[in-house]
Amino acid sequence: MNTQRDGRLAGKVALITGGSSGIGRACALRYAEEGADIVIADRDAARGAEAVAEIRSSSNCRALFVEVDVAEEASIEAMVAAAVKAFGHIDTVVAAAGISSAAYVSGVPAADNTPAEARHLINMPVANWQRVLDVNLTGVMLTDRVVARHMIEQGIAGTIVNVASSAARLALPGAADYCVSKAGVAMLTQVLAMELLAHQIRVNAIGPGFIETPMTQAMREKPDSHAAMIERTPMGRLGTPREMANTALYLACEESSYTTGHTLYPNGGMFVG
Ligand code: NAP
């Protein structure tokens, strides 16, 4: 078991939305290894309890699950209040909760089998577009600002790490809702970073490529989709959730003290090769 007394997040409290699955869960485990107490915020209480148990069994850190729907402002306010009530303060947040489409349910292997053309903008139901923006963009904005208000009130020079996507910079037919939501997260990160400079709160984002999480499970199971993901990735493999957590960790801790408003793209060289 780790002692984490000299960890990079020792003494800090981290709040992680989407923290019971995939990238968020890897961040929770990685941050706990570095000494942070962890608040996992997510929708599924049973999976949240499992993630909390995993943290408690692998570290000496405190861990708590809080149920949240990031599409609801009141739910986010309740999440932050619960975290502060339990651990006193929040020093760092990972806004990882997200969906790949309105039909996506994480951990459910069945893909959205709607043909790509039916998902083109000219055919996309407005409700689907709205749902993706509500969760992926407005959910991040609300999470960030409720946490930032708390940090400002308590005089905490905290860090915020948003989870965007490499799709913020790729025009993927059939995924306009997702691409636009993630491009929005990248810009939100920039504007918020400027607005929070005076409070010594840094705001950054990660823009993962294709990562081995429930979100890509259905694509990984289909040989042609799997091959297409590899084809798009110069490193020739998918990324791991832990690699994403290591990138988020850098942005959350003192090592990135001169970095704000930046989106780092851990994507196997996708924008280079
Ligand atoms: P994941 O395993 O499906 O995790 C997403 C988590 O967010 C799930 O626990 C999900 O809960 C939760 N969530 C969804 N909607 C929510 C809501 N309204 N309120 C609260 N929680 C909600 O997928 P992941 O790959 O780790 O995704 C994490 C983030 O990385 C997302 O923002 C995603 O867009 C981004 N990302 C992923 C990849 C990739 O290749 N995997 C690439 C680029 C970016 P439920 O299970 O209840 O839905």
Side-chain angles (χ1 to χ4, degrees):
M1 186 179 284
N2 295 321
T3 52
Q4 307 101 11
R5 292 283 167 255
D6 55 357
R8 285 187 271 174
L9 293 176
K12 305 288 187 192
V13 176
L15 169 69
I16 301 172
T17 72
S20 73
S21 182
I23 293 170
R25 186 159 176 160
C27 288
L29 288 164
R30 187 71 190 90
Y31 282 27
E33 282 174 25
E34 294 292 340
D37 291 323
I38 305 292
V39 180
I40 288 181
D42 214 317
R43 289 197 296 201
D44 185 321
R47 215 174 51 215
E50 269 173 33
V52 162
E54 194 179 0
I55 290 170
R56 288 187 183 146
S57 68
S58 62
S59 74
N60 296 321
C61 299
R62 294 180 296 172
L64 171 78
F65 172 73
V66 177
E67 202 168 319
V68 73
D69 179 351
V70 298
E72 300 291 336
E73 187 167 19
S75 181
I76 290 177
E77 279 166 354
M79 163 186 81
V80 170
V84 172
K85 186 170 177 212
F87 294 157
H89 55 102
I90 299 167
D91 302 285
T92 188
V93 65
V94 182
I99 52 177
S100 54
S101 69
Y104 173 70
V105 180
S106 74
V108 178
D112 175 2
N113 286 324
T114 320
E117 277 189 19
R119 288 188 268 114
H120 283 184
L121 269 175
I122 55 169
N123 301 316
M124 184 183 289
V126 171
N128 291 15
W129 165 270
Q130 193 61 55
R131 177 67 188 157
V132 173
L133 288 174
D134 283 349
V135 175
N136 288 4
L137 179 54
T138 308
V140 171
M141 181 276 287
L142 292 170
T143 301
D144 287 1
R145 76 175 189 172
V146 177
V147 170
R149 286 173 185 155
H150 157 75
M151 288 173 173
I152 292 165
E153 267 169 33
Q154 292 214 5
I156 294 168
T159 54
I160 294 173
V161 179
N162 294 326
V163 181
S165 167
S166 294
R169 288 177 46 182
L170 296 170
L172 303 172
D177 45 4
Y178 187 75
C179 295
V180 169
S181 72
K182 295 301 185 176
V185 170
M187 179 50 79
L188 166 74
T189 300
Q190 291 181 249
V191 176
L192 195 58
M194 294 301 102
E195 292 182 354
L196 295 178
L197 278 176
H199 302 285
Q200 284 79 49
I201 298 169
R202 294 187 297 109
V203 189
N204 290 290
I206 64 170
F210 297 114
I211 313 305
E212 289 165 359
T213 72
M215 192 172 276
T216 56
Q217 187 179 336
M219 284 159 72
R220 282 182 282 127
E221 283 170 357
K222 283 194 213 150
D224 54 339
S225 313
H226 187 259
M229 289 192 288
I230 299 291
E231 176 71 20
R232 231 182 222 283
T233 308
M235 278 192 181
R237 65 171 177 85
L238 272 62
T240 66
R242 190 174 172 88
E243 288 174 316
M244 301 307 105
N246 283 331
T247 312
L249 173 65
Y250 164 69
L251 294 170
C253 75
E254 192 56 23
E255 285 168 19
S256 62
S257 54
Y258 200 49
T259 301
T260 197
H262 201 69
T263 298
L264 272 179
Y265 288 96
N267 61 13
M270 203 180 270
F271 296 153
V272 183

